[in-house]
């Protein structure tokens, strides 16, 4: 379910994206957070500070091997003509229909990437028969993929700053297509599992920048609704995995799970090429400057991106180092990350627990067992829909109250609702897993879990971005990496835990852990301002 929910499923805009100190400043950029390994994105409108202007001026005057512009042209460029986007060149001015069509294609892509994470859960029996492996090894087909989703954004997340959204999309999905071929046609378990990790890694590139496209298309005050819709897609993907793959694996060979994925990815690539243009403003400005120089022969035209010193290696190093620095020095970020990691771990644990409850306890078939995840899916859809008639209006009123962006603690309201809903749902599920209880009851119990989980993720993602504004991308990356680690590990011990504690005891244990986490949004709502003042990374309001 990453690297990637308003990510804010709220209407309030999020603040500035983290850039490495030498990264180019744009008039509009985004921080992405993939739910599994990257990061759904939040809109940002950074400003060039006086210090940055001074650094820019100094950089143009001094000779440096890192500068993009040849020294011979520097004098001319100081009197250059900075290009701007006008009219329909600006994605913000595109028609509402075109914007939502792009959002739809992006959502389908996010659903596809995360669908592959859980779809492998229905292939366990086939993998055991084909490769002669144990159930414990077969479970790695999920864990390895999720690890790829978690690691990918650290290395691939900054790529759109250099190459644009569309190039990342196309390269990501072409690699995703090619790397899924060995997964589908593998003749031994080692090849299958290695390429499952690599497909997760390549899919993470898409997840790392997809939310950024949404924030490119809509103004800050309008981005809440489309971002909420996008946010739901990576969460619904894992739910749809066993639902669809269950029918495939009961009626044909396990390899058809990945044949379907291959066909889907080809269609997705065509949709991306035909329907999704470049939306990243710095790249659009650069392309316009290049076109004008070519058409007019006047080399004075330039885009801000062309005048900035920018090192890919340094940006990637910052992307890898800063998230762990935040985890080590920010207790508030660590505890909130731990909370969301626990919830995602529980979701992926359910891909092994639900078959125990419903196949062993109620005699469901493989495809019927997949259908039991509909309850969580309904909860996610309902939780997302509340953005339009509950949380969106609440945050709009907060904007009016504060005459601008409200303090980060306001975003914890929705987390408080999720903190209460999730434990109730899990306790309800735990004590209705007896075979004597009708199967519909535990499925109904999973509905509030899906709803509460999406509320918690939305709250935490938005709070992290607004609290750690100077390093927002790294704050989200720290969350994504930690969540993916939990999601990869939990399925590995789920069978043993349910076998030792039983369905009631194991599920009640999970409910108890979420109960321990429930006070966090209430505590940080009260003490958050004081903690932010002492933080080395937090934006000072």
């Amino acid at each position: 379910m990453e690297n990637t929910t308003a990510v804010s499923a709220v209407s309030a805009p999020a603040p500035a994206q983290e850039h490495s100190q030498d990264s180019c400043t744009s008039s509009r950029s985004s921080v992405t957070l993939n739910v599994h390994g990257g990061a759904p994105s939040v809109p940002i409108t950074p400003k060039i500070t006086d210090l940055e202007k001074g650094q820019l001026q100094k950089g143009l005057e001094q000779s440096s091997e890192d500068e993009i512009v040849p020294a011979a042209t520097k004098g001319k460029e100081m009197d250059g003509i900075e290009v701007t986007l006008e009219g329909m060149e600006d994605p913000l001015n595109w028609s509402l229909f075109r914007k939502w069509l792009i959002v739809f294609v992006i959502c389908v892509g996010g659903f596809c990437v995360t669908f592959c994470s859980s779809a492998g859960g229905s292939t366990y029996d086939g993998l055991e028969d084909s490769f002669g492996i144990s159930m414990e090894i077969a479970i790695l087909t999920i864990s390895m993929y999720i690890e790829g989703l978690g690691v990918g954004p650290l290395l691939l997340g900054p790529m759109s700053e250099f190459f644009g959204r569309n190039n990342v999309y196309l390269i990501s999905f072409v690699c995703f297509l090619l790397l899924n071929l060995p997964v589908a046609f593998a003749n031994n378990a080692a090849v299958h599992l290695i390429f499952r990790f690599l497909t997760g890694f390549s899919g993470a590139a898409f997840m790392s920048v997809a939310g950024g496209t949404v924030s490119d298309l809509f103004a800050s005050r309008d981005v809440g609704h489309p971002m909420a819709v996008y946010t739901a897609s990576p969460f619904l993907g894992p739910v749809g995995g066993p639902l669809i793959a269950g029918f495939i694996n009961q009626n044909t060979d396990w390899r058809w799970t990945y044949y379907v994925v291959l066909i889907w990815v080809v269609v997705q690539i065509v949709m991306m090429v035909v329907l999704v243009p470049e939306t990243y403003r710095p790249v659009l400005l650069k392309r316009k400057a290049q076109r004008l120089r070519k058409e007019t022969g006047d080399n004075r035209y330039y885009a801000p991106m062309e005048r900035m010193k920018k090192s890919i290696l340094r940006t990637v190093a910052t992307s890898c180092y800063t998230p762990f620095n935040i985890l080590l020095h920010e207790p508030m970020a660590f505890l909130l990350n731990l909370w969301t990691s626990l919830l995602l771990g529980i979701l992926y644990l359910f891909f092994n627990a639900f078959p125990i409850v419903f196949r062993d306890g109620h005699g469901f078939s493989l495809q019927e067992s997949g259908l039991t995840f509909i309850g969580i899916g309904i909860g996610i859809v309902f939780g997302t829909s509340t953005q339009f008639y509950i949380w969106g209006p609440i945050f709009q009123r907060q904007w009016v109250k504060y005459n601008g962006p409200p303090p980060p603690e306001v975003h914890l309201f929705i987390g408080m609702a999720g903190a209460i809903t999730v434990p109730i749902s899990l306790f309800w599920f735990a004590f209705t897993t007896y075979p004597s209880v009708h199967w519909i009851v535990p499925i109904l119990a999973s509905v509030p879990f899906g709803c509460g989980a999406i509320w918690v993720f939305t709250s935490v993602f938005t709070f992290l971005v607004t609290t750690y504004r100077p390093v927002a991308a790294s704050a989200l990356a720290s969350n994504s990496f930690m969540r993916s680690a939990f999601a990869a590990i939990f399925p590995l011990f789920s069978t043993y835990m349910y076998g030792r504690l039983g369905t009631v005891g194991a599920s009640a244990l999970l409910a108890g852990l979420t109960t321990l986490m429930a006070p966090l949004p209430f505590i940080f709502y009260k003490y958050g301002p004081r903690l932010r003042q002492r933080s080395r990374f937090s934006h000072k309001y």
Side-chain angles (χ1 to χ4, degrees):
M1 281 194 23
E2 280 254 271
N3 164 135
T4 186
T5 260
V7 147
S8 179
V10 298
S11 299
Q17 173 185 9
E18 173 202 7
H19 288 269
S20 60
Q21 292 177 353
D22 59 350
S23 63
C24 77
T25 306
S26 64
S27 59
R28 180 179 176 84
S29 60
S30 68
V31 173
T32 42
L33 168 86
N34 134 39
V35 184
H36 291 281
S41 205
V42 227
I44 316 167
T45 44
K47 297 181 180 179
I48 300 179
T49 65
D50 292 339
L51 175 60
E52 289 170 331
K53 290 179 180 177
Q55 292 173 337
L56 173 60
Q57 184 74 12
K58 181 179 179 182
L60 291 171
E61 294 172 352
Q62 295 179 345
S63 173
S64 170
E65 294 180 359
D66 293 332
E67 288 179 326
I68 301 173
V69 184
T73 64
K74 287 176 191 172
K76 295 180 181 179
E77 287 180 345
M78 292 305 296
D79 300 322
I81 304 172
E82 181 177 344
V83 299
T84 58
L85 298 180
E86 301 173 353
M88 298 307 291
E89 294 175 336
D90 191 339
L92 292 174
N93 296 327
W94 294 348
S95 70
L96 196 61
F97 173 79
R98 187 183 186 190
K99 291 180 181 181
W100 275 101
L101 181 62
I102 294 171
V103 171
F104 170 77
V105 176
I106 297 300
C107 288
V108 174
F111 185 94
C112 176
V113 170
T114 55
F115 165 90
C116 291
S117 65
S118 61
S122 299
T123 67
Y124 292 163
D125 293 341
L127 293 176
E128 292 176 52
D129 293 339
S130 296
F131 302 143
I133 58 177
S134 65
M135 171 67 77
E136 290 76 14
I137 301 299
I139 291 174
L140 288 174
T141 192
I142 287 184
S143 297
M144 295 297 289
Y145 187 92
I146 300 171
E147 279 300 328
L149 283 177
V151 174
L154 298 178
L155 300 174
L156 304 176
M159 291 300 102
S160 67
E161 294 182 24
F162 298 91
F163 308 112
R165 315 278 193 215
N166 271 29
N167 287 328
V168 174
Y169 289 150
L170 295 178
I171 293 173
S172 170
F173 263 93
V174 168
C175 292
F176 193 71
L177 173 67
L178 296 177
L179 293 171
N180 261 303
L181 291 172
V183 172
F185 295 100
N187 56 9
N188 63 72
V191 171
H192 176 83
L193 294 176
I194 290 172
F195 279 92
R196 277 288 282 173
F197 172 82
L198 294 175
T199 53
F201 185 88
S202 63
F206 175 88
M207 298 298 296
S208 297
V209 301
T213 295
V214 181
S215 66
D216 291 340
L217 295 170
F218 295 87
S220 297
R221 292 294 293 267
D222 302 324
V223 77
H225 293 345
M227 192 64 77
V229 173
Y230 164 72
T231 295
S233 62
F235 285 96
L236 286 173
V239 175
L243 194 155
I244 298 172
F247 282 88
I248 295 173
N249 284 271
Q250 178 160 321
N251 296 285
T252 186
D253 186 74
W254 67 269
R255 297 181 188 273
W256 267 99
T257 302
Y258 300 103
Y259 298 160
V260 170
V261 170
L262 291 170
I263 296 170
W264 186 350
V265 173
V266 170
V267 174
Q268 182 69 32
I269 292 174
V270 173
M271 292 171 65
M272 297 295 301
V273 171
V274 175
L275 300 175
V276 181
E278 182 59 62
T279 61
Y280 190 42
R281 289 181 62 87
V283 171
L284 293 176
L285 289 168
K286 181 180 178 180
R287 291 179 180 176
K288 182 176 181 179
Q290 292 172 337
R291 186 180 73 252
L292 289 174
R293 289 196 296 265
K294 182 178 180 181
E295 292 175 352
T296 65
D298 188 345
N299 290 327
R300 292 180 301 165
Y301 289 103
Y302 76 94
M305 186 178 189
E306 296 175 304
R307 287 195 167 185
M308 291 296 180
K309 296 182 294 182
K310 200 175 180 88
S311 166
I312 294 181
L313 291 179
R314 185 174 178 181
T315 302
V316 171
T318 301
S319 174
C320 294
Y321 166 76
T322 309
F324 298 100
N325 202 20
I326 292 174
L327 288 176
L328 289 174
H329 295 97
E330 295 294 326
M332 195 157 54
F334 175 80
L335 289 173
L336 290 174
N337 289 348
L338 181 63
W339 189 23
T340 55
S341 300
L342 175 64
L343 293 184
L344 193 64
I346 291 173
L347 177 64
Y348 275 89
L349 181 146
F350 278 166
F351 297 135
N352 292 338
F354 271 37
I356 295 174
V357 173
F358 294 102
R359 293 183 68 182
D360 298 345
H362 293 279
F364 280 23
S365 65
L366 180 59
Q367 61 190 24
E368 290 171 340
S369 178
L371 290 173
T372 59
F373 288 90
I374 288 179
I376 296 178
I378 291 173
I380 292 174
V381 172
F382 174 78
T384 302
S385 69
T386 57
Q387 154 66 19
F388 295 89
Y389 55 87
I390 296 180
W391 307 114
I394 287 176
F395 285 106
Q396 289 293 336
R397 289 195 293 270
Q398 293 296 318
W399 262 70
V400 174
K401 176 182 177 180
Y402 289 94
N403 194 28
E409 287 71 31
V410 169
H411 301 297
L412 293 174
F413 289 150
I414 187 171
M416 295 175 185
I420 296 171
T421 305
V422 168
I424 292 175
S425 171
L426 291 177
F427 276 119
W428 177 6
F429 176 81
F431 293 106
T432 57
T433 56
Y434 295 106
S436 58
V437 179
H438 194 280
W439 54 263
I440 194 62
V441 180
I443 293 177
L444 291 175
S446 68
V447 174
F449 173 80
C451 180
I454 199 73
W455 285 345
V456 171
F457 282 116
T458 297
S459 174
V460 171
F461 294 159
T462 314
F463 179 78
L464 289 176
V465 169
T466 52
T467 297
Y468 302 104
R469 178 181 301 187
V471 289
S474 291
L476 292 178
S478 70
N479 184 282
S480 175
F481 181 84
M482 195 169 175
R483 283 184 292 113
S484 295
F486 273 62
I489 293 171
F490 271 49
L492 298 177
F493 62 77
S494 57
T495 304
Y496 292 106
M497 185 176 76
Y498 271 76
R500 179 67 63 88
L501 302 179
T503 58
V504 176
S507 302
L509 174 61
L510 299 176
L513 293 175
T514 60
T515 303
L516 293 176
M517 297 285 105
L520 290 180
F522 300 92
I523 293 173
F524 292 141
Y525 180 79
K526 182 175 182 180
Y527 298 104
R530 191 181 309 170
L531 293 171
R532 285 191 286 107
Q533 289 301 318
R534 292 200 290 250
S535 169
R536 68 170 69 177
F537 295 105
S538 174
H539 175 72
K540 303 301 188 291
Y541 284 79

